[in-house]
Amino acid sequence: MRDIIKLICSGDGKISCSGNNLYSTTKNKKASTKKLELKKFCKYCRKHTLHRESK
């Protein structure tokens, strides 16, 4: 079963954009039990940063 998850920017520490920049995607919970981490573009940091799965 695929569940919808939220990806939030981890940022580089200089700009606090973690609450603002948000991506949503789906994940197969049975196949992958670890938290998902993808490099996505953050419009607040203006570069590709690591986005981590949140609750």
Side-chain angles (χ1 to χ4, degrees), residues 2 5 8 10-13 19-22 25 28-31 33 35 41-43 45-47 50-51 53 55:
R2 297 190 75 80
I5 59 167
I8 295 180
S10 62
D12 56 359
N20 298 324
N21 198 22
L22 179 74
T25 187
N28 187 347
K29 294 269 184 175
K30 290 183 181 179
T33 56
K35 290 204 173 213
F41 183 77
C42 176
K43 61 183 176 182
C45 298
R46 289 191 218 125
K47 60 183 176 181
L50 191 65
H51 285 67
E53 177 182 348
K55 293 184 179 182

